[in-house]
Amino acid sequence: MLFYLAPMEGITGYIVRNAYAHYFPYIDKYFTPFIPAAKKMSKKIKRDLAAENNEQIRLVPQLIGNRADEFLMMIRQLEDLGFTSVNLNFGCPSGTVVSKRKGAGFLADPKELEMLLEEVLEKSPLAVSVKTRVGIKDPDEWEALCGVYVKFPLEELIIHPRLQNDYYSGTPRMETFARALEQIHVPLCYNGDICSVEDYKKVTAAFPAIDRIMIGRGLLENPGLVGEIKGNPPADKARLRAFHDEILEGCLDTFRAEKDVVFHLKEIWFYLTKSFPDREKYLKLIRKCQSLQEYKLIVQQIFS
């Protein structure tokens, strides 16, 4: 089984990816938080993609947009940086993204999706994969979308079997993923609600044919989850502390203002506190803290 770390905006940048590679080296492929398909990359994006910041990991840039020409302009820049594959995001359910007809919002018009993929696949110098949802409002939308995806030699298709308006609530639509396995013959990757070894076993029992899994929230809540799936013991506090401290040091080296360091780490702790007793107590303290000194005292309390 191949394991992928899902891209999460504002969280899974190179600092966090490297901490996983150093302390939980079980992830086969990492995807960048989505990069806008535009004419030029920002300095922040270039830093996140830089080879020297991603030395021990297999990294795939993920692009978001709604125009083939803009995707292709960014793909050519990625080729110049040495990348061999790219992922197109048609799965982000965020309202602000969808309102711009990007992410899952682009799924509203399967014909337009087909035209875009046809041009990108024809002209891209890189292998192309797609991350998708199964529709906007109705699971029956999948049939038309599936009819599009089946036409193209994608490197792989990563399916989060929820609708856009499901966001992350409710149960993934497993029957829709089962239909996808029957209809599509490029490699399929399952993504959605794997937060424990038991969740993994349920998914792989339901779909024994799959050979790749993408995990997002589950790996942020429990960085050692893939290790546990592979038969290793749960991560102890010492390893979690070392993982955290590397992220902290990376943030201190990257961000100029202490408030930016604290803000970034607050986002990570929203998930990571689930690995500790008294989660709500510590999450409340971290949310309220305003200074790096106060933050460090709370972290010491958590790990002690």
Side-chain angles (χ1 to χ4, degrees), residues 60-161:
V60 177
Q62 184 184 84
L63 304 183
I64 194 165
N66 56 22
R67 288 177 50 180
D69 60 335
E70 292 183 345
F71 276 128
L72 288 164
M73 280 190 290
M74 187 59 70
I75 286 171
R76 292 184 186 108
Q77 293 178 66
L78 293 170
E79 182 187 26
D80 291 341
L81 294 176
F83 288 97
T84 58
S85 61
V86 66
N87 180 260
L88 307 186
N89 181 323
F90 299 122
C92 179
S94 166
T96 54
V97 170
V98 169
S99 67
K100 299 173 184 176
R101 293 179 58 256
K102 298 178 180 180
F106 200 68
L107 302 178
D109 189 337
K111 187 61 179 177
E112 193 168 359
L113 174 66
E114 180 176 345
M115 292 170 61
L116 182 146
L117 287 175
E118 184 173 16
E119 184 173 354
V120 171
L121 268 290
E122 180 185 348
K123 298 178 180 179
S124 174
L126 308 184
V128 176
S129 66
V130 164
K131 187 171 188 287
T132 188
R133 294 240 168 175
V134 296
I136 303 289
K137 298 179 180 179
D138 190 321
D140 289 341
E141 295 170 31
W142 174 248
E143 292 306 316
L145 295 171
C146 180
V148 172
Y149 291 132
V150 77
K151 295 179 180 181
F152 297 102
L154 298 171
E155 182 180 32
E156 61 187 355
L157 180 63
I158 303 165
I159 300 178
H160 185 141

Side-chain angles (χ1 to χ4, degrees), residues 103-274:
F106 200 68
L107 302 178
D109 189 337
K111 187 61 179 177
E112 193 168 359
L113 174 66
E114 180 176 345
M115 292 170 61
L116 182 146
L117 287 175
E118 184 173 16
E119 184 173 354
V120 171
L121 268 290
E122 180 185 348
K123 298 178 180 179
S124 174
L126 308 184
V128 176
S129 66
V130 164
K131 187 171 188 287
T132 188
R133 294 240 168 175
V134 296
I136 303 289
K137 298 179 180 179
D138 190 321
D140 289 341
E141 295 170 31
W142 174 248
E143 292 306 316
L145 295 171
C146 180
V148 172
Y149 291 132
V150 77
K151 295 179 180 181
F152 297 102
L154 298 171
E155 182 180 32
E156 61 187 355
L157 180 63
I158 303 165
I159 300 178
H160 185 141
R162 281 188 168 98
L163 300 169
Q164 180 271 323
N165 65 3
D166 289 335
Y167 290 89
Y168 297 97
S169 63
T171 303
R173 297 170 185 271
M174 308 299 271
E175 68 286 350
T176 306
F177 189 83
R179 293 207 308 275
L181 279 172
E182 295 173 355
Q183 297 164 313
I184 296 176
H185 302 295
V186 301
L188 293 188
C189 175
Y190 176 88
N191 172 221
D193 284 18
I194 295 181
C195 297
S196 67
V197 175
E198 291 70 28
D199 293 337
Y200 169 80
K201 288 180 177 178
K202 288 179 183 177
V203 168
T204 52
F207 309 120
I210 60 172
D211 64 355
R212 56 201 72 194
I213 294 277
M214 175 177 275
I215 306 176
R217 291 171 293 166
L219 267 170
L220 294 176
E221 294 169 2
N222 176 9
L225 176 58
V226 174
E228 291 180 35
I229 290 170
K230 290 176 175 285
N232 296 308
D236 58 23
K237 281 189 177 182
R239 185 171 292 271
L240 288 171
R241 180 65 190 260
F243 172 77
H244 164 272
D245 288 354
E246 178 169 324
I247 295 172
L248 173 59
E249 289 304 313
C251 290
L252 289 170
D253 289 341
T254 302
F255 300 116
R256 293 182 180 179
E258 285 190 359
K259 66 177 183 179
D260 294 330
V261 173
V262 173
F263 176 79
H264 188 77
L265 289 161
K266 283 181 179 183
E267 291 193 81
I268 293 169
W269 274 108
F270 174 78
Y271 299 96
L272 192 57
T273 47
K274 291 191 176 182

